[in-house]
């Protein structure tokens, strides 16, 4: 991974998961300021109000199960918006339903990560995701490489 800095945005309603993610990110070698939103409406407001600023994220880590607007709805809205559709979206969820994962891939998500419960695995999968995404120029990979695991 290069020393380039990435602005990251995490959309997740679970406070503990957000703290876990931030602590894991802080322990990686990745230089990445992290912003956090806690529901789908807050996410879309953030993206639309920051889409021309330096605060706009380089990568979005998106939980599927959020209040007000879920991750699937947010992904569809992001990919339908000309100003937002190039934003790399890494799904970060507890689900491992193959039908949902196939739907996420078809709808343009960049990668899928099942939330690990282990701190060291979380650190590793964050590094894997950002490295893979940057090496792939933040483009969606082949379907076989869509799910990332530590």
């Amino acid at each position: 991974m290069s020393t380039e800095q990435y602005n990251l945005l995490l959309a997740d309603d679970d406070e503990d998961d957000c703290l876990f993610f931030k602590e894991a990110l802080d322990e990686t070698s990745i230089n990445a300021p992290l912003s956090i939103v806690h529901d789908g409406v807050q996410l879309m407001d953030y993206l639309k109000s920051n889409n021309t600023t330096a605060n706009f994220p380089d990568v979005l880590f998106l939980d599927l199960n959020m209040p007000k607007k879920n991750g699937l709805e947010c992904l569809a809205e992001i990919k339908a918006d000309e100003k937002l559709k190039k934003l790399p979206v890494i799904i970060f969820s507890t689900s491992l339903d193959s039908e949902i994962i196939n739907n996420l891939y078809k709808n343009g998500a960049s990668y899928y990560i099942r939330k690990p419960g282990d701190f060291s695995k979380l650190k590793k999968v964050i590094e894997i995701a950002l490295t893979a995404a940057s090496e792939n120029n933040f483009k969606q990979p082949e379907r076989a490489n869509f799910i990332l695991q530590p």
Side-chain angles (χ1 to χ4, degrees):
M1 177 127 207
S2 71
T3 57
E4 187 175 345
Q5 178 172 302
Y6 297 104
N7 286 323
L8 303 182
L9 177 60
L10 172 63
D12 194 325
D13 63 311
D14 186 303
E15 291 284 340
D16 290 336
D17 284 353
C18 291
L19 184 60
F20 199 50
F21 187 97
K22 181 172 180 2
E23 288 174 355
L25 178 65
D26 287 346
E27 287 197 18
T28 69
S29 60
I30 298 164
N31 183 14
L34 178 67
S35 299
I36 299 173
V37 294
H38 299 287
D39 65 58
V41 171
Q42 194 180 28
L43 167 63
M44 296 314 300
D45 288 346
Y46 181 95
L47 291 175
K48 289 176 180 174
S49 64
N50 286 297
N51 71 7
T52 57
T53 72
N55 291 335
F56 191 75
D58 296 302
V59 178
L60 166 62
F61 284 85
L62 177 62
D63 183 31
L64 293 180
N65 301 312
M66 293 187 299
K68 299 183 183 175
K69 193 179 284 191
N70 69 37
L72 288 167
E73 294 168 314
C74 292
L75 178 64
E77 197 172 325
I78 288 166
K79 295 305 176 181
D81 187 311
E82 278 301 312
K83 293 178 179 163
L84 303 176
K85 72 180 184 181
K86 292 187 177 173
L87 173 65
V89 179
I90 298 173
I91 304 300
F92 187 64
S93 184
T94 54
S95 170
L96 200 52
D97 181 308
S98 60
E99 191 174 316
I100 291 172
I101 292 170
N102 287 333
N103 189 22
L104 292 164
Y105 185 80
K106 285 181 204 158
N107 285 309
S110 300
Y111 289 99
Y112 184 92
I113 297 171
R114 185 170 187 196
K115 289 181 181 178
D118 180 77
F119 188 74
S120 63
K121 287 182 179 177
L122 179 59
K123 281 187 346 187
K124 184 158 183 65
V125 81
I126 290 170
E127 288 181 323
I128 289 168
L130 292 173
T131 300
S134 66
E135 286 173 355
N136 200 26
N137 247 359
F138 293 94
K139 303 263 187 294
Q140 189 183 49
E142 296 294 319
R143 174 62 182 89
N145 300 321
F146 182 61
I147 299 175
L148 297 177
Q149 298 185 37

